[in-house]
Structure formats: structure tokens, C-alpha cells
Amino acid sequence: MLRTRLANQISWLAAIASLFVFGLAVSPVSSAQTPSADQIEMFQNMNPEQQQAIMEAMGSSGSSTSPRTGVRSDRKLDFPSTVRPRNQNKNDENDEDAFASGANGVRKSRLKAGDTVLLTLEIRQLKRRAPEIEEKERRGQAASSRQPGIPGSTVQVPQPTGTSGPGGNEQRQEVLDRSSDDRLRLEQFRERVLRRNPYKLDKWGILNIAELGPIPLAGLTDEEATQRLTAELRLDDFIVSLTRLPLKPLGAEGLKPFGYDLFAGTPSTFAPATDVPVPAEYVVGPGDRLQIQLMGNTKGRYELVVGRDGRLNFPELGPIAVSGQRFDDVRNTIETRVSEQLSNTQVAVSMGELRSIRVFVLGDAEMPGSYTVSGLSTITNALFVSGGVKLIGSLRTIQLKRAGRTVSTLDLYDLLLKGDTSADVRLLPGDVIFIPPVGATASIAGEVRRPAIYELKQETTTADLLRLAGGLLPDADPTLVTLERVNEQRQRIIVDVNLAVAAGRNRALESGDILRVPTIRPVLNDAVVVSGHVHRPGAYQFTPGMRLAGLLPSMDDLEPSADQRYVLVRREVPPDRRIQVFSANLEEALARPESAANFELAPRDRIFVFDRESGRDRIIEPLMRELQLQSRIDEPTPEVSVAGKIKVPGKYPLEPGMRVSDLLRAGGSLDEAAYGGQAELTRYQIASDGTRQAELIEIDLRRVLDGDPSSNLALRPFDYLMIKEVPLWAVQEEVEIRGEVRFPGRYPIHRGETLRSVMARAGGLTELAFAEGAVFTRDELKERERKKQFGDSRNPYGIRSRQASLMSAQETGKDAGQALAVGQSLLASLRDAKPVGRLVIDLDRSISARAGSENDIVLKGGDRLLVPRVVQEVTVIGEVQSATSHLYRNNLSRDDYIGMSGGLTPRADEKHIYVVRADGSVVARSSNAWFSGRGSEIKSGDTIVAPLDTERMRPLPFWIAVTTIIYNLSIAAAAVNSF
């Protein structure tokens, strides 16, 4: 029965496939059959394997392919043909082994020999699952039930998933700290491996790492190579990543053989052969068509074909032998016969469709074989048809053989370098184009117009090779050319060649030579460079006697924000080119050109003009590094520093004869908050015992600014000048008064001003002000609340929630999952709440307080006082049936208001109900006044809070604290938002 069913299914599938193949893959010229709706429905109901089988059958029936061979035979190409350039990455795109198909059809390149790769290693963190999660999963697996009706089947309890929040994946694992010895060992291993980055695959595609051994990676993508490194070497302690760098070889290694890119294209025919003029020397043969028109007494138009016997059968004149004759001779022959045999008749002869001829392309061609080409084809046409010349083939001695004899030799260099096509002769039937192996070659790299590997024919000297390369570039140095070659002892040697003299240009070449032409030094000798905040930065010609004012003759050459008083100059001092850095006062140099400020420039000087609005580290730090590198034990780094209340503090070069006033000028002058009376200069020096000691020197800035030489001390290396701030100088502070005051707004305050003083400036309270409900907030309190109550997972509340669930499980013997879930929910609400920073105050007492008393509140910048209008409601929130507000009545108690809100819910904690006053203070149930609940005094603006009963989730004080924080924050936030 099984065999019968299988046979029926196979026959049914074959029938459906035949219907689809016949209906969808029929030839377009025949009567196409569209598949019916039943056929489409049957196809859609098949499984994917059956559908794939039918689609493969459809694809194979409509096309026929032949295996690709290395020899193309009898390929037809009409003349004329042009070459369409291919992609630059032709070799890689045609090489299917160089790519792998990735996701969404994206082709990913594979590694190959010689590729450069970059390795990254990251120490993997050790993680383990949290104990409570493991316990919960264990209980979930134990509680899995069997599905009724199916023996042996079970229903797995789903585990919580997620990416963030409580219970997410990041909380399902705990990070374990490695030991110091283990981490040190891994860091040392990682440093040894990464120290030799990037790596290069050898000629077999193997990655050799001393610490890991040889690893074959050729043929793999970056992802596959990363997986192999991780799997085979078992680097469980690291996260390994491998990236191939798109590095191109430079210099002689990046040279390519010249001329072979000519064939990096595909033949494409754009015009029919009849549109091409036929030259007079074209040799007519069998298959050619001649168009003949008779005019005069005898009229007619004929298109005659040269037969296999080489004759042209002319209707009026008979057969005429034309095969093997030039087209010009054939035309003269026909004209002579017409004039002799037909009186008063003229004839016009032209070529029609040309015949096709068979030629052979052999030797080192890309696709050698026989080809059928147009009768007007030349040697280059046949080369394009065959795919061009291989890299091992010669471009300079391509031979055209006819009947066993070489009738012509084509040098493609003449075509590429001179445009000479005289040797590109036309082909005849049976011709053989033979490409011999490449001959002697020489390479030229560097500053030439066409660096490449050239094949030598008649070129024997370096001058000949230079002509092939197009000559030298303008920045080439012909006096320092080097020639690399292999001598008779098979040793690689270097020979210096001076192409500026005849002996160097006439040096003989050998096969395999590499000629390297260097560039001149990238140094401006007779020039000075201006950079920074000038309108025309750049290099300028240096002339002897040139001065600063001659280079920058006007303030108009500077940008508006340029610092005119501090211009830095970098100078190279011959003969050892030591660096000197000094400054100039451009303002003084322009005002008094005869002064020393207008100093004389030197060649290679670099002038930097700074901006007064930004820092100067970008320019000064590289100069300081140069000065530090040339320092010695007896010549320390010329460096001084200025800090404090100065516009541009930082490190500056110590100039010869530099004084305190010069350092102030370098720092952009004193800031407006600087204390002009006194400054401190810290000086470091080496004592007689070899230790470094600091000396503190008091500087009178007023006398320095007045030009007193005795106070304007000369500076030494590493001097540190500190500019003090004016006492009690600070950024202006202000507070905000809003609500029911006579003049609300922002008020600037002085140091130590109190709330009583600011309220007097604001005109006091209005008649509608509700002083008991005033909200006073402070920024530093808000930040303190955020740090103490709203931290991350290291918050003590997060730890205590787990302790509470474990203690509850130990005391009650019940599952702690419910307690943990409630606790996580409360902590999430705590994290979502925004801190208010409220300070509970008695506004009436603060306004009427005596100066200096405890109720006289000292204000700080950013304080806000919000005075609400008189309120007449009492709010009930928490675990009540309907959390709402009620109109205040003095004869109602706390329980009355709770009853008006529907009473408490079953989850409410009746023993811990409390009241939050309008000023933010809290009245707890524990006081004697709250014992009965009837004698409680409720005031207008109060908020009654019925907390959640947390008795089931021990310890009780912890959950009470969490819920109290949440309620109090919400009440304070509501008070602030009401404004």
C-alpha cells in the first residue's frame, strides 16, 4: 500500500510539473498556454520541496547550456566592434571563488593569499545566572504538566524574556570578577597578539601568529574566519574579531604590467558592416557581395555574390574572376568589361555585405581557438574577440602567420604610446595570430607619469625605460634614483643612478630591474608660512631683510577676532635645525616699525596668529612636544604656565628674556575677575642634594602692569604663575518667586541674602496667598534626592528587595515570586519618579523672623518659592476605593474623608495611614492624636495617604519606606506642577 501511494504521488507530481512546464515555459512564437486556476491552486498547495522541483524543471526546459571550455570555436563577431570598459574589479568579479553569498544576496569577499587583516581581542566577561532566577526556573520545570490525551507529551512553562527592565535578560545573569592574576595573564596575552597588528596572510593564505600557531584562512569570509579563530583555538576567554583591511600595495609592489588593461573590456557591436567604407586594398574573396548599378543604354541594379570558384556571375557580361584581387582592381576590371561589351553604358561598383573569415588566435591568449570574424577585421579585432593577451604573453611581438610564414609583427606599444596602427594589418582566411611569451621586463616606480612594468624590446638604457614611462614628474629628483637588480651571483643589489647626467641615462638595463625615482624633499626653503586667523594664510616668498610688518602690513590682513598682541613664531636654527619658539607683538610692530617688535624673518619661519575667543592648545602642544624632544639634562624644556583668572590659561614656550608681563600677554591678558593686587609665582629648582624644591614668590601685579622692572621678574623653566580671583567674586545668583506675591519674578541676590529680605523686595503676600501651602525647592536637594533614592542597580533598595523576598520565603515557607514581583514594581515606580528637591518651611515665620534667627532662611542660587492661592480641598490618595479631593469642612475627621472616598480597599494598611500637610510635613498615625482616628485635626490643603499593606512581604519597614517615598514624591510633584 505504501509503494502504491508513493507511486501515485510521484505520478501526480510529474503530471502537475508537466502542466506547469508546458503552460509556462512554452516558446513565445508558439501558442502560449496559460495555467488554469486549478493548476495555480494545486501548485500553491504543494510543499516547498515539490514547488522547487517544478521550478527547476521549468528553468531547465527553457534553456540549454553548454559546459565552458578554454577554447572558443567558431564565434561570430560582426564588424565593426568596439570595446565597452568593464568594472575595475574585473578579475575579482569574474572569479566566483573570491566571493561568497551573504544575507539578502549580498556578495561577501573571501580572504586570499597576501591579504592584510586586523585582529581585535576583547576579554570576555564571566557571567552566571542569578540564584533566584535559577530557583524560579527549576520550580517552573518541576511544575510542568502533561498535556491530557497525548501520552508522554509535556507543556513547558514559558520563561520570562526581555531586553530591559526588571526581569530582563541583563538581570538574568550576574557578572563575576576575575582574579587579578587571571586578568593580568589575559591582558599580557592580548597585548602580545595585538602588538603585531595588522597581520598579512602568507602565499598559502595562512595566518601565522606566534602565540596561536598557523591558521589557514584562505577562501573564508571575515565572519567565517572569525568563527574559525574562535572555534579551533578555543579562545573562550576572548571575543575575537577579524577584519580585512582594504590596503593597496604601494611602490614597486603595486606596479602592474603596462598595456594589458587594453583588453579589460567586452566586445560590443554598434553599427552594421555596410556602414563602413571599404578600403581600396581590400582583397575580394568568396562570400563577398558587390552592388553594381548600370546606367545609360542598359539600365539595371544587381547585388552579386562571389562564388566559391572565385567568380562573379554578371548577367550581361558572364562570369568574371575576382577572387584574390584588390577591390580597386576588381572595380577597374568590371568597368573595363562594361565599356567594351555594353555601348553607352556606365557602371558604379561598391561593396555590399562582407564575407566572414575564419582565423586562429593561438599562444598566450586568454581564450585561444578559432574565430569567425568580419572580412575587414585586423589583428587587434581578433585579439579583442579572444579576450586579449594573458599577463604571461608578449604585447610587443605578436605575430601574424600566413601559410606557415610570419608576414607581420605587431607591437602594441606603438599603438598605445604613439597611436601607430600601421602594423595592424587586415586578416585573410586561415591566418594565425600567435602570441609568444613575454620577453625581458623592467619596472619603474615613483615620480614618473606612468609607473608600471614594461616589456623591453629595443630599449636597453634607463633613458629608454624613462621614455616608456612618459618622463619624470615635476617633483621628481633625478639625482637620487636607485636601480634594484639581481646580479650574477643571484644577489639583490642597489645601484645609484643619476639621471641628470649622461652616464646615468645611458646605464644598461637587465631583465627584472626596478628603477625607483624619488620625490624631492617636501620642504619650502626660501619661504615663510602664515597660518591661523588671517585672511590669506599660506606660504610666501622669503626675501633677505624681510620683516614681520612686511609680511602682515596691516591689521586688515587679520580676522576680526585675531589676537594682535601675541603672534607665535617657530624657527629652525641651522646647522642642526634646532627649534626656537618666540612671540611677537604685531600691534607694536605695526605702530613702530623701527622697534625690536618688528623683527627680521628667516627662511622656513612659521607664523601662527591666534584667536582671542578659543584655546591655543591645538598649536602650542605640538610645539611643546618638539621642544621637549630636544631638551637635555643641562638644558630643560623651555616651558612656563599660567593659571587662574586669565583669559587663556595653559602652558607656553619660554622665550629668551621672557618676563611676567610677557606671560600675561601670552595668556590673553587678565580676566575681569582677576585680583590685580597680588599673584603667586611657583618656581621649581634642583637643590644641592639633588631633590626638586618649590619656591613661592609673591608678585605685585599692579606694579607689573605699570612697567616696574623690579616686579616684572624674568622667568625660568617650569615657572607657574597663579592669578587669584577677586574676593567674593562669583557669577550673579538669582532666585525665583512665583504665585501669590505682589511682584513675582526673578530676583538677583547678594551673598548671604535671606528669604525675609527677598520677600520684602517682592512686596509680601497678597490677600489670597496660602502661606501654609508654599513650596520651596532647591537644586542641591534635588540632586541629593536623585543620588540617594534614584540610583542604578547598585542602589541599596535593589539589594534590599531581594533580601526581603528571601526573608519572606524563609519565614512563611511560601514562594517568594509574588513578593519579588511586587517589590520590583514598586522599585520601578521609584525609579520613574522625578526628584523635586522640596524643603519644608514655615513661610509666615520666615517672613516675620528676626535677622540671624533659625527661621531666617539663607537663599542660594536657583532657589524657587511657589506661593499658591488659598485652597479649600482635602485630597485622599492611596489604597481607597476612589482617590479624589473633597471640599474642606472643619467638622470632618480623617476617617470621614476616607469614608467619602469609598473607604479602604482590602490591600490598605489601616494601621499606618498618615497625613501630608500642605507645607510638606507628615503627621504619622503613631502620635496620640491619631489613636482613635476621630480626634484627628484635618486642615485645608492636607493629603490623606492610605498606604499598601505590606505585612505579607517582610521585612515591613522596608516596603513602608519605599511606598512612603513614592507617595511623598507624587504629592510634592503635584504641588509644583500646579503652578
Side-chain angles (χ1 to χ4, degrees):
M1 180 179 296
L2 181 60
R3 290 184 178 180
T4 303
R5 181 183 301 176
L6 182 60
N8 293 337
Q9 187 174 5
I10 294 175
S11 61
W12 172 79
L13 179 61
I16 296 299
S18 64
L19 286 175
F20 271 83
V21 171
F22 179 75
L24 300 180
V26 69
S27 174
V29 298
S30 63
S31 58
Q33 227 179 9
T34 304
S36 64
D38 295 336
Q39 292 175 348
I40 296 176
E41 183 179 0
M42 294 169 64
F43 179 79
Q44 293 176 347
N45 292 333
M46 295 178 185
N47 58 43
E49 291 78 9
Q50 294 171 343
Q51 292 179 357
Q52 182 66 25
I54 291 178
M55 297 305 296
E56 291 177 356
M58 290 172 57
S60 62
S61 63
S63 62
S64 60
T65 57
S66 58
R68 180 178 179 182
T69 60
V71 178
R72 294 282 183 93
S73 62
D74 203 19
R75 177 176 175 177
K76 180 69 178 295
L77 179 70
D78 295 332
F79 187 89
S81 65
T82 60
V83 177
R84 184 186 314 142
R86 295 180 189 169
N87 194 306
Q88 294 298 326
N89 299 328
K90 163 208 166 192
N91 295 331
D92 291 341
E93 289 186 356
N94 292 338
D95 186 5
E96 294 296 334
D97 294 336
F99 288 87
S101 297
N104 301 325
V106 179
R107 305 178 76 195
K108 299 181 179 180
S109 58
R110 297 182 182 274
L111 294 170
K112 58 183 182 299
D115 280 350
T116 303
V117 296
L118 181 70
L119 286 182
T120 58
L121 297 179
E122 181 181 353
I123 298 178
R124 191 187 303 273
Q125 291 182 341
L126 293 178
K127 294 183 179 181
R128 71 179 180 189
R129 301 174 74 83
E132 63 270 16
I133 300 298
E134 293 181 353
E135 178 66 19
K136 189 172 182 180
E137 291 184 352
R138 183 185 64 79
R139 295 191 177 189
Q141 293 175 0
S144 60
S145 60
R146 294 183 177 272
Q147 185 175 355
I150 304 178
S153 65
T154 60
V155 178
Q156 183 68 33
V157 177
Q159 300 298 332
T161 59
T163 58
S164 63
N169 286 340
E170 74 276 3
Q171 295 191 6
R172 298 174 63 86
Q173 292 180 338
E174 290 182 337
V175 179
L176 302 180
D177 293 333
R178 296 180 182 269
S179 64
S180 57
D181 295 340
D182 188 22
R183 176 166 288 277
L184 178 61
R185 175 183 58 84
L186 295 177
E187 287 288 352
Q188 292 176 349
F189 176 83
R190 177 177 177 272
E191 182 180 357
R192 289 196 303 269
V193 173
L194 300 184
R195 187 183 304 160
R196 289 183 289 275
N197 257 333
Y199 290 86
K200 187 174 182 179
L201 304 187
D202 61 14
K203 60 182 179 180
W204 293 284
I206 296 177
L207 174 65
N208 293 287
I209 304 177
E211 290 78 9
L212 304 177
I215 311 160
L217 299 179
L220 303 179
T221 62
D222 293 358
E223 292 79 3
E224 294 170 346
T226 300
Q227 294 176 2
R228 173 170 290 184
L229 284 172
T230 305
E232 293 190 359
L233 303 174
R234 298 175 181 173
L235 297 175
D236 298 333
D237 292 325
F238 296 95
I239 300 176
V240 189
S241 178
L242 180 143
T243 305
R244 181 169 62 171
L245 300 179
L247 300 180
K248 294 183 178 180
L250 302 176
E253 295 182 356
L255 295 179
K256 296 181 179 180
F258 174 75
Y260 293 89
D261 292 341
L262 175 66
F263 305 102
T266 56
S268 175
T269 299
F270 293 97
T274 55
D275 294 340
V276 181
V278 178
E281 63 272 11
Y282 176 73
V283 178
V284 178
D288 285 337
R289 293 178 180 270
L290 278 72
Q291 295 179 353
I292 301 174
Q293 183 178 2
L294 298 178
M295 298 166 291
N297 291 339
T298 305
K299 297 180 175 62
R301 181 186 294 272
Y302 306 99
E303 185 176 5
L304 306 179
V305 181
V306 179
R308 292 185 177 182
D309 56 356
R311 297 183 180 185
L312 193 67
N313 294 321
F314 204 103
E316 303 292 339
L317 305 179
I320 302 174
V322 296
S323 180
Q325 301 179 21
R326 298 169 59 249
F327 171 66
D328 196 28
D329 296 336
V330 171
R331 181 167 50 191
N332 293 334
T333 300
I334 295 176
E335 291 176 353
T336 302
R337 291 283 297 271
V338 168
S339 62
E340 291 177 352
Q341 299 183 18
L342 301 176
S343 60
N344 296 326
T345 302
Q346 292 81 32
V347 64
V349 181
S350 63
M351 288 296 299
E353 184 178 349
L354 302 180
R355 72 184 187 277
S356 297
I357 61 176
R358 183 186 297 273
V359 296
F360 295 89
V361 182
L362 303 175
D364 291 316
E366 286 289 345
M367 292 179 291
S370 63
Y371 293 88
T372 300
V373 296
S374 170
L376 285 180
S377 298
T378 61
I379 298 176
T380 55
N381 297 132
L383 291 177
F384 280 114
V385 174
S386 64
V389 182
K390 291 182 179 179
L391 293 179
I392 61 173
S394 173
L395 296 182
R396 311 205 62 179
T397 57
I398 300 175
Q399 303 172 4
L400 175 61
K401 296 188 176 183
R402 187 172 296 160
R405 295 184 299 105
T406 302
V407 297
S408 178
T409 301
L410 175 64
D411 187 352
L412 284 180
Y413 277 26
D414 293 338
L415 174 64
L416 296 173
L417 300 178
K418 304 176 184 177
D420 184 6
T421 60
S422 58
D424 189 17
V425 299
R426 287 182 173 82
L427 302 177
L428 295 180
D431 282 355
V432 176
I433 301 171
F434 180 74
I435 304 174
V438 67
T441 60
S443 305
I444 182 169
E447 301 303 314
V448 294
R449 301 189 184 277
R450 287 190 300 269
I453 302 174
Y454 291 91
E455 182 181 357
L456 304 179
K457 187 176 180 182
Q458 298 175 354
E459 295 79 14
T460 58
T461 63
T462 56
D464 297 333
L465 181 59
L466 191 61
R467 280 193 294 270
L468 290 178
L472 299 174
L473 291 176
D475 54 350
D477 190 348
T479 62
L480 298 177
V481 178
T482 59
L483 181 66
E484 179 181 336
R485 68 172 39 160
V486 178
N487 60 10
E488 297 178 355
Q489 290 76 28
R490 312 307 300 168
Q491 298 173 346
R492 194 172 297 275
I493 61 173
I494 299 294
V495 180
D496 293 333
V497 178
N498 186 359
L499 295 181
V501 298
R505 293 191 296 270
N506 294 329
R507 180 174 289 276
L509 290 177
E510 297 180 6
S511 181
D513 284 354
I514 302 176
L515 193 67
R516 291 185 172 88
V517 181
T519 183
I520 58 176
R521 292 190 302 267
V523 178
L524 294 174
N525 289 325
D526 294 333
V528 292
V529 180
V530 180
S531 61
H533 286 70
V534 295
H535 289 298
R536 293 185 293 269
Y540 292 86
Q541 180 183 0
F542 170 78
T543 56
M546 187 177 185
R547 295 183 177 273
L548 179 62
L551 182 63
L552 298 171
S554 173
M555 290 294 180
D556 294 335
D557 293 325
L558 307 181
E559 293 185 358
S561 60
D563 190 348
Q564 308 162 3
R565 302 182 66 248
Y566 187 72
V567 175
L568 208 59
V569 181
R570 176 190 180 274
R571 174 169 295 177
E572 298 180 6
V573 181
D576 55 356
R577 297 183 58 187
R578 289 182 61 83
I579 302 301
Q580 284 186 358
V581 181
F582 56 92
S583 67
N585 190 339
L586 182 60
E587 184 180 39
E588 183 180 355
L590 294 177
R592 296 187 299 163
E594 71 283 354
S595 64
N598 188 20
F599 62 92
E600 186 173 343
L601 298 176
R604 300 186 184 180
D605 277 356
R606 300 184 68 91
I607 295 94
F608 302 96
V609 180
F610 296 102
D611 183 13
R612 290 179 299 193
E613 299 178 357
S614 58
R616 301 170 178 177
D617 295 340
R618 184 178 60 87
I619 301 298
I620 293 181
E621 284 186 1
L623 296 176
M624 298 305 301
R625 285 196 297 268
E626 288 186 291
L627 295 175
Q628 186 178 9
L629 289 176
Q630 66 183 19
S631 62
R632 300 190 299 265
I633 188 173
D634 58 339
E635 187 176 344
T637 303
E639 171 189 312
V640 289
S641 303
V642 59
K645 292 303 175 180
I646 196 164
K647 292 183 179 179
V648 190
K651 294 181 180 180
Y652 291 92
L654 175 61
E655 310 169 25
M658 189 175 186
R659 295 184 175 271
V660 174
S661 59
D662 298 324
L663 183 56
L664 296 178
R665 177 171 57 87
S669 73
L670 297 176
D671 189 76
E672 58 183 2
Y675 176 57
Q678 190 181 60
E680 292 182 354
L681 180 66
T682 304
R683 176 164 292 173
Y684 299 95
Q685 56 186 359
I686 304 301
S688 57
D689 57 354
T691 59
R692 187 184 186 188
Q693 298 179 352
E695 178 185 1
L696 187 63
I697 304 175
E698 299 291 339
I699 303 294
D700 191 342
L701 284 181
R702 288 192 179 90
R703 301 180 63 180
V704 170
L705 297 177
D706 293 339
D708 184 4
S710 60
S711 300
N712 194 13
L713 298 180
L715 299 180
R716 298 180 184 178
F718 303 108
D719 278 357
Y720 190 96
L721 181 63
M722 179 65 187
I723 308 299
K724 300 178 182 180
E725 185 181 7
V726 173
L728 302 181
W729 180 281
V731 179
Q732 182 64 54
E733 296 181 346
E734 64 177 19
V735 296
E736 184 179 5
I737 308 294
R738 294 176 59 187
E740 293 300 323
V741 294
R742 296 188 181 276
F743 305 107
R746 293 182 177 273
Y747 289 86
I749 60 174
H750 58 78
R751 186 182 180 90
E753 189 168 2
T754 63
L755 179 60
R756 176 181 56 83
S757 173
V758 176
M759 285 298 295
R761 294 163 58 187
L765 302 175
T766 66
E767 62 277 4
L768 296 179
F770 182 44
E772 293 82 359
V775 179
F776 186 88
T777 62
R778 177 164 287 174
D779 290 341
E780 66 179 27
L781 296 180
K782 186 185 302 183
E783 185 65 26
R784 190 181 305 169
E785 291 177 7
R786 180 182 293 107
K787 290 182 179 179
K788 289 186 176 181
Q789 300 172 1
F790 305 94
D792 52 12
S793 59
R794 294 171 294 181
N795 190 313
Y797 287 114
I799 301 173
R800 291 172 62 185
S801 67
R802 297 183 180 181
Q803 295 174 349
S805 62
L806 293 177
M807 290 176 64
S808 176
Q810 292 174 359
E811 293 178 5
T812 62
K814 299 180 179 179
D815 189 4
Q818 181 181 4
L820 180 61
V822 175
Q824 294 288 359
S825 177
L826 290 174
L827 291 179
S829 301
L830 183 61
R831 284 193 296 268
D832 294 338
K834 295 182 179 179
V836 178
R838 183 174 183 177
L839 177 64
V840 178
I841 65 171
D842 189 335
L843 183 58
D844 289 332
R845 291 186 179 180
S846 298
I847 294 175
S848 60
R850 151 174 80 81
S853 64
E854 60 182 5
N855 291 321
D856 194 12
I857 302 174
V858 179
L859 297 179
K860 299 181 179 180
D863 287 351
R864 298 174 67 196
L865 177 63
L866 311 177
V867 183
R869 189 171 294 182
V870 174
V871 296
Q872 295 177 297
E873 64 268 5
V874 175
T875 304
V876 182
I877 65 173
E879 296 300 323
V880 292
Q881 299 295 341
S882 177
T884 184
S885 298
H886 305 277
L887 187 64
Y888 170 73
R889 285 185 287 179
N890 57 4
N891 60 340
L892 296 181
S893 65
R894 178 207 65 190
D895 293 345
D896 295 333
Y897 286 106
I898 293 177
M900 294 170 63
S901 296
L904 301 174
T905 65
R907 296 180 299 175
D909 187 358
E910 185 178 0
K911 297 179 181 180
H912 294 87
I913 298 175
Y914 60 94
V915 175
V916 180
R917 298 294 188 192
D919 60 358
S921 61
V922 178
V923 180
R925 171 70 182 261
S926 59
S927 63
N928 294 332
W930 291 95
F931 182 79
S932 64
R934 299 295 304 175
S936 59
E937 181 183 357
I938 300 297
K939 299 180 180 180
S940 178
D942 286 354
T943 300
I944 303 172
V945 181
L948 177 69
D949 185 5
T950 56
E951 187 68 30
R952 305 173 187 175
M953 297 168 288
R954 297 180 181 275
L956 181 62
F958 165 66
W959 297 117
I960 293 178
V962 173
T963 54
T964 302
I965 291 173
I966 296 174
Y967 283 129
N968 291 348
L969 285 174
S970 62
I971 294 171
V976 174
N977 294 333
S978 64
F979 288 88

